[in-house]
């Protein structure tokens, strides 16, 4: 709590709100030339937790599953049925299921650290992870299209059938930008900005609480109760956002793959 008080108060006793510098923390230690900071450790913890949970949930599969195995299977079935097979069908759904499952649960676990005490920041709040996942999604989209129609994929994407030839002067550049440039960029920014804004708001609410209660005290503490209530409510909302962003990222990846393997390609 003392850290919150220090973060909320500037040297002259005024309120110090959250800063974008929180997303560029100092290096904690270096191993083999690799620098590790707070966000790097959060990503490592999320990855280890993800591996351990699925290992424990699948190492001794039973015909009649226990509660833990049921929860893991429910999560896997959600991605398989509601994302992969619903959009891609059984054949293509199973082919791209490992990618979609990895994206969904990686984004979910990296997002949820934003509201876990002592971690308090999403592993996706720095552009590296969202960008890598967006590139993986983009590569899968290109691979699926080329695999389906090696000779027609790029031609149909850039020169949609049925368009008068003279309109290709306008249509082709638009299709190139929207299909091959904006898709990975929007995937990256949608996830990144949601996590950045969520973190800044949570920090604002809780540092405001610490400032009102511990720095100003007295009747100002009543404002601290209000900011704490908003912070608690927004923490619950951030859980929903973490799940929703994981779903949207995996869903859009499946949509792009579905467009790539459509019959017209």
């Amino acid at each position: 709590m003392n850290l919150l008080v220090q973060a909320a108060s500037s040297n002259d006793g005024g309120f110090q709100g959250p800063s974008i510098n929180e997303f560029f923390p100092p290096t904690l230690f270096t191993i083999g030339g690799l620098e590790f900071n707070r966000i790097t450790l959060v990503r490592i913890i999320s990855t280890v937790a993800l591996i351990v949970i699925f290992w424990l949930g699948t190492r001794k599969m039973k015909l009649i599953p226990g509660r833990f195995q049921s929860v893991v299977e429910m999560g896997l079935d959600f991605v398989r049925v509601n994302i992969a097979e619903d959009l891609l069908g059984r054949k293509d759904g199973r082919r791209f299921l490992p990618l979609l499952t990895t994206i969904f649960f990686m984004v979910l676990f990296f997002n949820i650290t934003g509201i876990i005490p002592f971690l308090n920041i999403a592993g996706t709040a720095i552009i590296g992870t969202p960008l890598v996942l967006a590139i993986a999604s983009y590569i899968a989209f290109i691979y699926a299209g080329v695999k389906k129609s090696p000779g027609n994929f790029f031609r149909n994407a850039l020169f949609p059938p049925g368009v008068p030839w003279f309109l290709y002067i306008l249509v082709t550049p638009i299709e190139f930008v929207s299909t091959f440039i904006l898709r990975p960029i929007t995937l990256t920014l949608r996830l990144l900005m949601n996590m950045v804004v969520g973190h800044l708001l949570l920090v604002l609410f809780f540092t405001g609480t610490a400032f009102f209660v511990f720095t100003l005290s007295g009747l100002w503490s009543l404002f601290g109760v209000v900011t704490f209530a908003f912070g608690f409510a927004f923490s619950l909302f951030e859980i929903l956002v973490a799940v929703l962003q994981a779903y949207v990222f995996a869903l859009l990846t499946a949509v792009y793959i579905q467009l790539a393997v459509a019959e017209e390609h």
Side-chain angles (χ1 to χ4, degrees), residues 23-222:
F23 301 101
F24 303 94
T27 300
L28 298 176
F29 56 87
T30 302
I31 298 179
L34 298 176
E35 297 183 351
F36 291 82
N37 57 33
R38 176 189 169 200
I39 297 180
T40 305
L41 293 182
V42 166
R43 289 170 174 168
I44 293 174
I45 292 170
S46 300
T47 303
V48 171
L50 179 60
I51 293 172
V52 169
I53 287 174
F54 277 96
W55 177 72
L56 292 175
T58 58
R59 66 190 179 111
K60 293 182 179 179
M61 303 289 286
K62 298 179 181 179
L63 185 60
I64 302 177
R67 292 181 180 179
F68 191 68
Q69 181 182 329
S70 296
V71 172
V72 173
E73 288 182 352
M74 188 182 304
L76 293 172
D77 284 342
F78 173 78
V79 179
R80 179 178 62 84
V81 175
N82 294 282
I83 298 178
E85 292 184 0
D86 273 4
L87 286 168
L88 300 174
R90 185 176 295 271
K91 180 181 177 182
D92 286 326
R94 289 186 175 180
R95 188 154 62 107
F96 291 98
L97 183 59
L99 172 67
L100 297 174
T101 302
T102 300
I103 286 176
F104 178 83
F105 286 103
M106 184 175 176
V107 173
L108 175 61
F109 274 64
F110 276 41
N111 285 353
I112 208 70
T113 57
I115 52 94
I116 295 178
F118 304 110
L119 298 180
N120 297 119
I121 195 167
T124 48
I126 297 294
I127 196 170
T129 297
L131 181 59
V132 168
L133 292 175
I135 291 174
S137 174
Y138 177 78
I139 291 174
F141 160 68
I142 299 296
Y143 166 80
V146 172
K147 184 76 173 179
K148 178 72 175 181
S149 303
N152 296 326
F153 172 67
F154 289 105
R155 184 184 66 187
N156 289 340
L158 296 175
F159 301 93
V163 176
W165 66 268
F166 58 88
L167 289 181
Y168 284 134
I169 299 174
L170 296 175
V171 172
T172 298
I174 293 174
E175 290 295 325
F176 173 76
V177 172
S178 63
T179 302
F180 296 103
I181 296 179
L182 289 184
R183 282 183 181 178
I185 292 176
T186 54
L187 272 178
T188 301
L189 294 182
R190 181 183 294 107
L191 175 58
L192 173 67
M193 297 312 297
N194 272 280
M195 294 301 104
V196 168
V197 171
H199 175 76
L200 291 176
L201 286 174
L202 285 176
V203 173
L204 178 63
F205 287 134
F206 288 119
T207 53
T209 299
F211 178 72
F212 285 127
V213 174
F214 296 101
T215 302
L216 297 182
S217 66
L219 291 177
W220 290 103
S221 298
L222 296 176

